[in-house]
Amino acid sequence: MPRRKKQYKKHILPDPKFSNILVAKFINHVMQRGKKTVAQKIVYGALDRISDKTKQNPLDILDQAVRNVSPILEVKAKRIGGANYQIPVEVRGERKITLALRWIIKAAKERSGKSMAEKLAEEILDATKKQGGAIKKKEDVHKMAEANKAFIHFA
């Protein structure tokens, strides 16, 4: 018998400018304290900068960046016999995208200077080239999972 009630998926409406669900999720992740218009200005500004620099469709570049940053494995803590083990677990569909967006935004915030839109554009471009803070985070998570491969039988 399940210990928790069933979780229902929230249906996110596409964003107004590009009619894209990934961009809408990205805006929602950037948003702080319910200020959606501020988050939209930041994300749209970053996408405009990307299109100016690369002369390509910014949605394709964002999609490529998210695919590059999406993790395959992660570790989850599990308590067995009084000891905590870090057990490698495969990351499923929706969580991959959520982690990738979260890591891209965090890496952009940690960059110095400039406006948030510029930092976000730079981080997305770096992620498409498989470099930058978000890719480093993914590699760290994969290294942790690889190091704890011995505990995979606990899963």
Side-chain angles (χ1 to χ4, degrees):
M1 189 155 167
R3 292 174 183 260
R4 298 178 188 206
K5 68 178 186 176
K6 189 172 188 239
Q7 290 183 338
Y8 296 98
K9 273 192 165 183
K10 291 180 183 175
H11 295 288
I12 296 174
L13 297 173
D15 74 295
K17 187 173 180 181
F18 295 105
S19 298
N20 189 316
I21 292 175
L22 180 65
V23 175
K25 286 182 184 180
F26 199 45
I27 289 168
N28 288 343
H29 276 279
V30 170
M31 179 173 54
Q32 293 178 344
R33 297 187 191 97
K35 299 193 175 195
K36 195 163 201 158
T37 52
V38 173
Q40 284 176 339
K41 284 179 188 174
I42 290 168
V43 172
Y44 292 149
L47 293 176
D48 288 342
R49 281 184 172 79
I50 289 169
S51 65
D52 291 343
K53 283 185 180 179
T54 62
K55 306 291 186 224
Q56 294 176 4
N57 186 0
L59 298 180
D60 296 338
I61 292 173
L62 177 64
D63 190 46
Q64 181 65 40
V66 169
R67 272 192 267 120
N68 287 349
V69 176
S70 297
I72 299 163
L73 292 172
E74 68 177 337
V75 289
K76 288 203 172 180
K78 191 169 184 183
R79 190 171 177 87
I80 299 168
N84 288 321
Y85 294 104
Q86 297 287 331
I87 299 171
V89 180
E90 185 180 334
V91 183
R92 302 281 165 145
E94 198 64 34
R95 184 157 168 77
K96 280 184 180 183
I97 295 168
T98 302
L99 287 173
L101 294 176
R102 191 181 300 164
W103 293 344
I104 289 171
I105 292 164
K106 188 172 184 222
K109 282 181 182 177
E110 290 171 357
R111 286 175 175 251
S112 60
K114 304 177 202 166
S115 68
M116 184 60 189
E118 288 178 42
K119 293 191 284 188
L120 204 53
E122 292 295 321
E123 189 60 41
I124 291 168
L125 288 172
D126 281 352
T128 55
K129 298 172 193 166
K130 296 192 177 183
Q131 51 189 337
I135 295 289
K136 186 179 182 320
K137 175 70 174 169
K138 175 191 172 181
E139 289 168 357
D140 291 345
V141 168
H142 280 224
K143 280 180 194 170
M144 181 76 91
E146 195 67 32
N148 291 306
K149 208 168 21 173
F151 304 120
I152 204 159
H153 65 279
F154 287 129

